[in-house]
Amino acid sequence: MAPAPAGSGTVDDRVLREKKQAENFPVALRILPRDLRADLGAVYDVARVIDDLGDEAAGAAAERTAGLLRFQNDLERAFRGEQPHERVLRDLVPAIRRRDLELEPFTRLVRANLQDQRVAAYATQAELERYCVLSADPVGRIVLRIFGVRDAEAERLSDRVCTALQLIEHCQDVAEDRRNGRVYLPEADLAAFGATATDLDARVTSRPVRLAVAAQCARALDLLTEGAALLDRLHGWARLAVAGYVAGGLATLDALRRVRWDVLSGTPRPRKPDVLAHLIALLVRPAAHVRRIREGGRFS
């Protein structure tokens, strides 16, 4: 089945709600003011639809590419002030106007999914993190804009946080990504630990693959350690929301460590109490909390 043409309703509301509930972090914390919740939710829905168009299992790469390009055209329509065809983009229009959002970060998300149609694996960590510049960092830029933050250093730190969260999600979803024909563990890491991509087809994670996953998690924690300084530059609702995203990432690292990096027999999920505990600690002393985890964590 090819991706749905613009205007047909790419993903229904029920599916989007289910995917929000499965996220590692609160997409829009319930205590945020209604307009902020609405705008963050609208952005999430657009990002989710872009990912779903890129992952449409039943379609060929050419069909997925065509669907993504149609969606890009509809995005441009929304940012030109015209009526977009897709419902999720019509829902985004109020946020575009209220927050003076820019097209470029959304275009990068589309480009990441277009890249997924032709790149199935990454040789090095540097190549993988360049992909994250397209697939993850734009989300943080959009979130900052929604909260009215226009600060180059805040954007730089946000990029560190978003790349880290993407690496954590890659570790969490190794099995699912492999089923979709993609590998987001660097080939250099797999080789260094004596593993290959075919080892990802097993039902239980071998020690070499576990070590590669642990290496990615350690890299993610390094990035979070640097990026946690972002919280000291934010105030009010922005600080609370971004702390929630970081807390979700840390709780997912807890889940990965709990299963000893076995990412093939099931998808490790964060516990809500862990998210809350990390959130409280991050609001008190963000950098110290993440640094303490990094120094005391076991990643082997």
Side-chain angles (χ1 to χ4, degrees), residues 221-222 224-229 231-232 239 242-254 257 273-297 299:
L221 197 48
D222 285 344
L224 280 181
T225 301
E226 180 181 359
L231 294 173
D232 290 327
R239 192 167 190 265
V242 174
Y245 299 138
V246 177
L250 291 174
T252 306
L253 285 176
D254 291 340
R257 195 159 29 203
D274 292 343
V275 176
L276 181 59
H278 284 302
L279 175 59
I280 292 170
L282 287 166
L283 291 174
V284 176
R285 295 186 65 192
H289 178 60
V290 179
R291 189 167 56 249
R292 186 164 55 250
I293 294 170
R294 180 171 175 263
E295 292 171 353
F299 287 86

Side-chain angles (χ1 to χ4, degrees), residues 180-194:
N180 289 335
R182 299 177 192 138
V183 176
Y184 294 110
L185 296 175
E187 292 172 340
D189 276 8
L190 290 171
F193 294 112

Side-chain angles (χ1 to χ4, degrees), residues 17-297:
R17 281 197 302 271
E18 290 173 354
K19 291 187 175 183
K20 283 179 185 176
Q21 291 169 359
E23 290 290 348
N24 296 332
F25 47 79
V27 175
L29 292 168
R30 293 178 182 176
I31 64 173
L32 293 179
R34 180 178 295 180
D35 62 332
L36 285 171
R37 290 201 315 270
D39 292 347
L40 289 169
V43 168
Y44 171 86
D45 287 350
V46 170
R48 184 73 265 170
V49 168
I50 292 170
D51 279 351
D52 287 345
L53 285 169
D55 288 338
E56 179 59 61
E63 295 170 327
R64 293 193 292 268
T65 296
L68 287 163
L69 292 175
R70 283 195 297 270
F71 196 85
Q72 173 67 30
N73 289 336
D74 212 24
L75 260 174
E76 293 171 4
R77 189 176 291 109
F79 278 87
R80 287 197 303 265
E82 301 172 12
Q83 178 81 336
H85 298 305
E86 287 285 355
R87 181 194 58 76
V88 292
L89 292 176
R90 292 195 296 272
D91 291 346
L92 182 68
V93 167
I96 294 173
R97 294 171 179 166
R98 269 197 295 260
R99 313 296 177 184
D100 192 26
L101 300 183
E102 298 173 345
L103 174 62
E104 190 270 344
F106 292 93
T107 296
R108 276 201 268 165
L109 296 177
V110 175
R111 286 172 55 201
N113 280 270
L114 289 170
Q115 184 167 310
D116 281 335
Q117 309 315 308
R118 52 188 175 77
V119 180
Y122 294 87
T124 65
Q125 186 72 31
E127 288 183 9
L128 179 62
E129 292 184 19
R130 282 196 292 272
Y131 167 74
C132 293
V133 170
L134 300 177
S135 68
D137 296 1
V139 176
R141 301 290 184 103
I142 296 167
V143 169
L144 290 180
R145 180 58 63 90
I146 284 176
F147 286 104
V149 178
R150 291 169 172 79
D151 175 337
E153 178 62 7
E155 290 179 350
R156 186 187 74 81
L157 294 170
S158 171
D159 290 348
R160 297 295 190 275
V161 169
C162 289
T163 292
L165 295 179
Q166 179 77 89
L167 296 180
I168 293 168
E169 185 175 335
H170 286 162
C171 291
Q172 187 183 20
D173 293 339
V174 168
E176 178 184 346
D177 291 333
R178 178 63 175 172
R179 288 192 296 271
N180 289 335
R182 299 177 192 138
V183 176
Y184 294 110
L185 296 175
E187 292 172 340
D189 276 8
L190 290 171
F193 294 112
T196 66
T198 57
D199 293 322
L200 306 181
D201 297 322
R203 292 185 179 181
V204 178
T205 314
S206 66
R207 177 167 172 75
V209 172
R210 290 178 196 239
L211 291 172
V213 172
Q216 278 299 285
C217 290
R219 171 58 177 159
L221 197 48
D222 285 344
L223 290 168
L224 280 181
T225 301
E226 180 181 359
L230 172 63
L231 294 173
D232 290 327
R233 305 181 71 88
L234 302 177
H235 307 280
W237 297 121
R239 192 167 190 265
L240 178 62
V242 174
Y245 299 138
V246 177
L250 291 174
T252 306
L253 285 176
D254 291 340
L256 286 158
R257 195 159 29 203
R258 215 165 25 242
V259 298
R260 299 175 61 191
W261 323 112
D262 180 7
V263 293
L264 298 181
S265 60
T267 301
R269 296 290 183 194
R271 297 171 178 168
K272 288 184 179 180
D274 292 343
V275 176
L276 181 59
H278 284 302
L279 175 59
I280 292 170
L282 287 166
L283 291 174
V284 176
R285 295 186 65 192
H289 178 60
V290 179
R291 189 167 56 249
R292 186 164 55 250
I293 294 170
R294 180 171 175 263
E295 292 171 353

